[in-house]
Amino acid sequence: MSTTIPIRRLGGDGPLASVLSLGSWHTYDRMDFGDAVAMLRKAVDLGINLFDVGVYSMPGYPPVFTDVLFSAMVRAAGIKRDEYLLSTKLWLDGYPERPLRAQLENALFRVGADRADVAVLGDIRSDRVNLQRLALDLAALEADGLIGWWGVNNWSTSTILEIRRHAHSGGSPGPQFAQLKYSPCRRTIADGEPFAELWELGIGLQASDVMEGGILAGRLTPTRPIGRDPGDVRSKIMESAEGIARVAADLGATPARLCVAFCLTHPAIASVLFGVTKEEQLLDNVVALELVEKVGAERIRELLDPFWADRDAVDPEGP
């Protein structure tokens, strides 16, 4: 494969990261270990250097080991620590009683690393989160070398701007990117005017849930957990899957490749995050870069506009 994966900054002051990044939510623990190692090695050889590896095991649910397996995969694939960027999740449910430092130390222990290059703060589900304290806690983790940079997952623009002010007051560069649900069907937030202000400030977009848990790739009955459904539009997204597949076929592409290509057309895109369980899926997603070159960003967005499911269904300001 001759496709070159671009490297760009993950936000205005963030690290140099591949524009395609590999997620691990319920993926590696569903794979044959040898296949997972080979896929990881292939991803690095292709130029992917950003890996989102969070702790997804929750009390009361079956244990998950995808992050622990990643540690073994890296060793088996012969990948050196300076060859990739480790991105981990920090959850705000129960914060501050559940301290960020303790979470991070546990995450690093499970993944076999001494630092996270990037930390992503999970959804804010409570108005009791003290953003000034949160900014100070993050600055302390930065100062101690436990994290390099950080971003946020599905936050509102006003909340991002507020914690950015607190971070700057404490001498921290603040959030580098917003990880948002983004796909041909979920566009309202990332494409809206409120978030355009953040893109102008240099905050990058990391697209996630780009295939709606596999639905847009043709798996209409997913066998793994799917993220929440802002706007209650998942049924409309399932109805759109067939139409998106037809557009993809007309372009000589798979639906998954077209979804990744769509995300790459956003002017603020810093990284498109996806999960795969087969090497052929990885290779197909990488070819999305060629699809954008061949068809053009404007044409791709035009062809997929009829499948915009969350138009007028969610607040463009964000959660």
Side-chain angles (χ1 to χ4, degrees):
M1 179 177 290
S2 60
T3 301
T4 300
I5 298 177
I7 299 292
R8 58 186 62 166
R9 292 221 171 266
L10 192 63
D13 300 303
L16 291 171
S18 52
V19 74
L20 301 179
S21 51
L22 206 57
S24 68
W25 193 41
H26 304 288
T27 51
Y28 306 135
D29 46 5
R30 295 187 292 125
M31 297 179 66
D32 172 83
F33 182 71
D35 292 344
V37 171
M39 187 181 73
L40 185 65
R41 180 72 258 178
K42 187 66 174 180
V44 172
D45 291 344
L46 288 169
I48 293 177
N49 75 342
L50 179 58
F51 297 92
D52 186 301
V53 188
V55 180
Y56 298 108
S57 180
M58 303 293 288
Y61 287 84
V64 177
F65 298 104
T66 193
D67 54 329
V68 178
L69 286 167
F70 181 81
S71 172
M73 288 162 56
V74 167
R75 294 195 302 273
I79 300 170
K80 298 177 181 176
R81 183 62 182 88
D82 60 2
E83 290 186 89
Y84 69 96
L85 298 170
L86 175 65
S87 176
T88 193
K89 287 288 197 299
L90 294 176
W91 309 107
L92 297 177
D93 297 334
Y95 173 85
E97 292 78 15
R98 189 182 179 203
L100 295 187
R101 186 177 293 268
Q103 284 190 58
L104 180 60
E105 289 172 348
N106 179 54
L108 294 176
F109 171 69
R110 287 173 60 98
V111 82
D114 61 358
R115 73 183 189 283
D117 301 288
V118 178
V120 183
L121 301 178
D123 299 19
I124 292 184
R125 306 182 196 275
S126 168
D127 58 6
R128 61 184 286 272
V129 175
N130 184 316
L131 294 178
Q132 184 174 23
R133 175 174 179 168
L134 184 58
L136 290 174
D137 285 350
L138 288 162
L141 295 177
E142 289 174 320
D144 290 345
L146 292 176
I147 62 173
W149 299 267
W150 54 276
V152 299
N153 175 251
N154 296 322
W155 285 26
S156 68
T157 53
S158 57
T159 308
I160 294 172
L161 288 170
E162 182 179 347
I163 198 169
R164 184 175 183 267
R165 288 193 296 271
H166 290 310
H168 286 183
S169 296
S172 167
Q176 295 302 304
F177 62 94
Q179 188 183 93
L180 298 175
K181 292 176 180 289
Y182 192 56
S183 73
C185 299
R186 294 193 188 273
R187 300 176 48 178
T188 298
I189 294 175
D191 286 356
E193 286 301 317
F195 265 88
E197 178 183 353
L198 299 187
W199 312 146
E200 288 292 326
L201 292 172
I203 292 175
L205 166 64
Q206 184 176 53
S208 69
D209 296 279
V210 302
M211 296 170 211
E212 196 73 16
I215 290 171
L216 295 180
R219 294 184 289 278
L220 298 183
T221 54
T223 57
R224 67 170 180 82
I226 302 181
R228 60 190 185 85
D229 180 18
D232 196 24
V233 297
R234 188 155 291 144
S235 60
K236 291 179 65 176
I237 292 175
M238 294 183 76
E239 293 169 4
S240 297
E242 185 177 345
I244 291 173
R246 285 196 299 268
V247 173
D250 290 342
L251 296 175
T254 64
R257 189 188 310 173
L258 182 56
C259 287
V260 174
F262 170 81
C263 295
L264 289 167
T265 67
H266 193 287
I269 197 69
S271 175
V272 179
L273 175 64
F274 55 80
V276 291
T277 56
K278 295 180 176 63
E279 187 171 310
E280 53 263 37
Q281 294 172 331
L282 169 67
L283 298 176
D284 186 56
N285 290 351
V286 170
V287 180
L289 291 155
E290 296 178 6
L291 184 61
V292 177
E293 289 251 340
K294 174 185 172 183
V295 179
E298 186 175 340
R299 180 58 176 160
I300 287 174
R301 297 181 76 83
E302 177 185 330
L303 288 169
L304 292 173
D305 188 73
F307 309 106
W308 186 343
D310 72 347
R311 195 189 323 243
D312 301 322
V314 297
D315 184 351
E317 153 74 7

